PDB file of all heavy atoms in Angstrom:
ATOM      1  N   ALA A 732     105.775 177.991 144.286  1.00  0.00           N
ATOM      2  CA  ALA A 732     106.723 178.881 143.666  1.00  0.00           C
ATOM      3  C   ALA A 732     107.795 179.220 144.597  1.00  0.00           C
ATOM      4  O   ALA A 732     109.111 179.124 144.090  1.00  0.00           O
ATOM      5  CB  ALA A 732     105.993 180.107 143.400  1.00  0.00           C
ATOM      6  N   ILE A 733     107.621 179.335 145.924  1.00  0.00           N
ATOM      7  CA  ILE A 733     108.668 179.643 146.840  1.00  0.00           C
ATOM      8  C   ILE A 733     109.503 178.484 147.095  1.00  0.00           C
ATOM      9  O   ILE A 733     110.771 178.483 147.126  1.00  0.00           O
ATOM     10  CB  ILE A 733     108.055 180.105 148.132  1.00  0.00           C
ATOM     11  CG1 ILE A 733     107.452 181.497 147.910  1.00  0.00           C
ATOM     12  CG2 ILE A 733     109.103 180.194 149.170  1.00  0.00           C
ATOM     13  CD1 ILE A 733     106.561 181.890 149.018  1.00  0.00           C
ATOM     14  N   THR A 736     111.093 176.745 143.079  1.00  0.00           N
ATOM     15  CA  THR A 736     111.720 177.554 141.978  1.00  0.00           C
ATOM     16  C   THR A 736     112.686 178.638 142.479  1.00  0.00           C
ATOM     17  O   THR A 736     112.674 178.821 143.830  1.00  0.00           O
ATOM     18  CB  THR A 736     110.605 178.248 141.155  1.00  0.00           C
ATOM     19  OG1 THR A 736     110.092 179.346 141.865  1.00  0.00           O
ATOM     20  CG2 THR A 736     109.442 177.364 140.804  1.00  0.00           C
ATOM     21  N   ALA A 737     113.214 179.323 141.608  1.00  0.00           N
ATOM     22  CA  ALA A 737     114.149 180.447 142.023  1.00  0.00           C
ATOM     23  C   ALA A 737     113.461 181.552 142.743  1.00  0.00           C
ATOM     24  O   ALA A 737     114.095 182.404 143.303  1.00  0.00           O
ATOM     25  CB  ALA A 737     114.861 180.976 140.826  1.00  0.00           C
ATOM     26  N   SER A 738     112.018 181.541 142.760  1.00  0.00           N
ATOM     27  CA  SER A 738     111.257 182.522 143.444  1.00  0.00           C
ATOM     28  C   SER A 738     111.594 182.543 144.860  1.00  0.00           C
ATOM     29  O   SER A 738     111.437 183.580 145.665  1.00  0.00           O
ATOM     30  CB  SER A 738     109.822 182.255 143.250  1.00  0.00           C
ATOM     31  OG  SER A 738     109.424 182.395 141.956  1.00  0.00           O
ATOM     32  N   GLY A 739     112.036 181.306 145.503  1.00  0.00           N
ATOM     33  CA  GLY A 739     112.282 181.254 146.828  1.00  0.00           C
ATOM     34  C   GLY A 739     113.689 181.667 147.275  1.00  0.00           C
ATOM     35  O   GLY A 739     113.994 181.774 148.500  1.00  0.00           O
ATOM     36  N   LEU A 740     114.468 182.082 146.335  1.00  0.00           N
ATOM     37  CA  LEU A 740     115.781 182.552 146.617  1.00  0.00           C
ATOM     38  C   LEU A 740     115.689 184.054 147.099  1.00  0.00           C
ATOM     39  O   LEU A 740     114.739 184.745 147.018  1.00  0.00           O
ATOM     40  CB  LEU A 740     116.710 182.643 145.304  1.00  0.00           C
ATOM     41  CG  LEU A 740     116.881 181.274 144.765  1.00  0.00           C
ATOM     42  CD1 LEU A 740     117.713 181.394 143.507  1.00  0.00           C
ATOM     43  CD2 LEU A 740     117.607 180.209 145.771  1.00  0.00           C
ATOM     44  N   GLU A 741     116.783 184.494 147.858  1.00  0.00           N
ATOM     45  CA  GLU A 741     116.803 185.758 148.432  1.00  0.00           C
ATOM     46  C   GLU A 741     116.249 186.872 147.543  1.00  0.00           C
ATOM     47  O   GLU A 741     115.505 187.787 147.845  1.00  0.00           O
ATOM     48  CB  GLU A 741     118.096 186.113 149.042  1.00  0.00           C
ATOM     49  CG  GLU A 741     118.128 187.376 149.782  1.00  0.00           C
ATOM     50  CD  GLU A 741     119.452 187.689 150.509  1.00  0.00           C
ATOM     51  OE1 GLU A 741     120.127 186.612 150.912  1.00  0.00           O
ATOM     52  OE2 GLU A 741     119.953 188.820 150.430  1.00  0.00           O
ATOM     53  N   SER A 742     116.652 186.832 146.263  1.00  0.00           N
ATOM     54  CA  SER A 742     116.276 187.927 145.336  1.00  0.00           C
ATOM     55  C   SER A 742     115.237 187.515 144.406  1.00  0.00           C
ATOM     56  O   SER A 742     114.766 188.275 143.525  1.00  0.00           O
ATOM     57  CB  SER A 742     117.581 188.216 144.505  1.00  0.00           C
ATOM     58  OG  SER A 742     117.930 187.130 143.594  1.00  0.00           O
ATOM     59  N   GLY A 743     114.564 186.333 144.773  1.00  0.00           N
ATOM     60  CA  GLY A 743     113.428 185.868 143.859  1.00  0.00           C
ATOM     61  C   GLY A 743     112.061 186.478 144.273  1.00  0.00           C
ATOM     62  O   GLY A 743     111.918 187.079 145.320  1.00  0.00           O
ATOM     63  N   SER A 744     111.198 186.238 143.386  1.00  0.00           N
ATOM     64  CA  SER A 744     109.850 186.773 143.642  1.00  0.00           C
ATOM     65  C   SER A 744     108.920 186.027 142.751  1.00  0.00           C
ATOM     66  O   SER A 744     109.283 185.162 141.976  1.00  0.00           O
ATOM     67  CB  SER A 744     109.721 188.210 143.288  1.00  0.00           C
ATOM     68  OG  SER A 744     109.851 188.351 141.864  1.00  0.00           O
ATOM     69  N   PHE A 745     107.619 186.011 143.153  1.00  0.00           N
ATOM     70  CA  PHE A 745     106.636 185.447 142.206  1.00  0.00           C
ATOM     71  C   PHE A 745     105.453 186.409 142.121  1.00  0.00           C
ATOM     72  O   PHE A 745     105.429 187.362 142.823  1.00  0.00           O
ATOM     73  CB  PHE A 745     106.065 184.053 142.800  1.00  0.00           C
ATOM     74  CG  PHE A 745     105.268 184.248 144.092  1.00  0.00           C
ATOM     75  CD1 PHE A 745     103.877 184.378 144.040  1.00  0.00           C
ATOM     76  CD2 PHE A 745     105.892 184.073 145.236  1.00  0.00           C
ATOM     77  CE1 PHE A 745     103.245 184.356 145.192  1.00  0.00           C
ATOM     78  CE2 PHE A 745     105.269 184.145 146.456  1.00  0.00           C
ATOM     79  CZ  PHE A 745     103.796 184.260 146.392  1.00  0.00           C
ATOM     80  N   HIS A 746     104.700 186.259 141.105  1.00  0.00           N
ATOM     81  CA  HIS A 746     103.545 187.190 140.875  1.00  0.00           C
ATOM     82  C   HIS A 746     102.260 186.466 140.905  1.00  0.00           C
ATOM     83  O   HIS A 746     102.127 185.446 140.253  1.00  0.00           O
ATOM     84  CB  HIS A 746     103.765 187.840 139.474  1.00  0.00           C
ATOM     85  CG  HIS A 746     105.057 188.623 139.459  1.00  0.00           C
ATOM     86  ND1 HIS A 746     105.244 189.937 139.971  1.00  0.00           N
ATOM     87  CD2 HIS A 746     106.329 188.181 138.986  1.00  0.00           C
ATOM     88  CE1 HIS A 746     106.487 190.216 139.703  1.00  0.00           C
ATOM     89  NE2 HIS A 746     107.099 189.273 139.143  1.00  0.00           N
ATOM     90  N   LEU A 747     101.312 187.169 141.495  1.00  0.00           N
ATOM     91  CA  LEU A 747      99.858 186.583 141.684  1.00  0.00           C
ATOM     92  C   LEU A 747      98.986 187.507 140.866  1.00  0.00           C
ATOM     93  O   LEU A 747      99.044 188.711 141.143  1.00  0.00           O
ATOM     94  CB  LEU A 747      99.553 186.464 143.178  1.00  0.00           C
ATOM     95  CG  LEU A 747      98.091 186.148 143.465  1.00  0.00           C
ATOM     96  CD1 LEU A 747      97.774 184.732 142.980  1.00  0.00           C
ATOM     97  CD2 LEU A 747      97.835 186.366 144.830  1.00  0.00           C
ATOM     98  N   VAL A 760      99.710 182.132 139.215  1.00  0.00           N
ATOM     99  CA  VAL A 760     101.039 182.480 139.874  1.00  0.00           C
ATOM    100  C   VAL A 760     102.089 182.167 138.874  1.00  0.00           C
ATOM    101  O   VAL A 760     102.149 181.150 138.218  1.00  0.00           O
ATOM    102  CB  VAL A 760     101.096 181.501 141.137  1.00  0.00           C
ATOM    103  CG1 VAL A 760     102.525 181.638 141.618  1.00  0.00           C
ATOM    104  CG2 VAL A 760     100.227 181.901 142.201  1.00  0.00           C
ATOM    105  N   THR A 761     102.897 183.201 138.713  1.00  0.00           N
ATOM    106  CA  THR A 761     104.149 183.058 137.765  1.00  0.00           C
ATOM    107  C   THR A 761     105.267 183.091 138.652  1.00  0.00           C
ATOM    108  O   THR A 761     105.503 183.944 139.485  1.00  0.00           O
ATOM    109  CB  THR A 761     104.102 184.330 136.950  1.00  0.00           C
ATOM    110  OG1 THR A 761     102.899 184.341 136.135  1.00  0.00           O
ATOM    111  CG2 THR A 761     105.335 184.263 135.832  1.00  0.00           C
ATOM    112  N   ASP A 762     106.197 182.070 138.453  1.00  0.00           N
ATOM    113  CA  ASP A 762     107.343 181.903 139.255  1.00  0.00           C
ATOM    114  C   ASP A 762     108.603 182.429 138.449  1.00  0.00           C
ATOM    115  O   ASP A 762     108.511 182.859 137.308  1.00  0.00           O
ATOM    116  CB  ASP A 762     107.541 180.537 139.682  1.00  0.00           C
ATOM    117  CG  ASP A 762     107.734 179.548 138.663  1.00  0.00           C
ATOM    118  OD1 ASP A 762     108.473 179.752 137.750  1.00  0.00           O
ATOM    119  OD2 ASP A 762     107.095 178.415 138.670  1.00  0.00           O
ATOM    120  N   ASP A 763     109.711 182.443 139.166  1.00  0.00           N
ATOM    121  CA  ASP A 763     111.048 182.879 138.556  1.00  0.00           C
ATOM    122  C   ASP A 763     111.786 181.845 137.823  1.00  0.00           C
ATOM    123  O   ASP A 763     112.837 181.949 137.363  1.00  0.00           O
ATOM    124  CB  ASP A 763     111.898 183.383 139.572  1.00  0.00           C
ATOM    125  CG  ASP A 763     111.607 184.879 139.951  1.00  0.00           C
ATOM    126  OD1 ASP A 763     110.798 185.539 139.203  1.00  0.00           O
ATOM    127  OD2 ASP A 763     112.165 185.398 140.948  1.00  0.00           O
ATOM    128  N   GLY A 764     111.217 180.595 137.815  1.00  0.00           N
ATOM    129  CA  GLY A 764     111.790 179.408 136.994  1.00  0.00           C
ATOM    130  C   GLY A 764     112.915 178.867 137.820  1.00  0.00           C
ATOM    131  O   GLY A 764     112.975 178.951 139.106  1.00  0.00           O
TER     132      GLY A 764
END
Side-chain angles (χ1 to χ4, degrees):
I733 292 167
T736 75
S738 296
L740 300 177
E741 186 174 324
S742 62
S744 64
F745 68 92
H746 302 275
L747 170 66
V760 171
T761 302
D762 63 47
D763 280 347

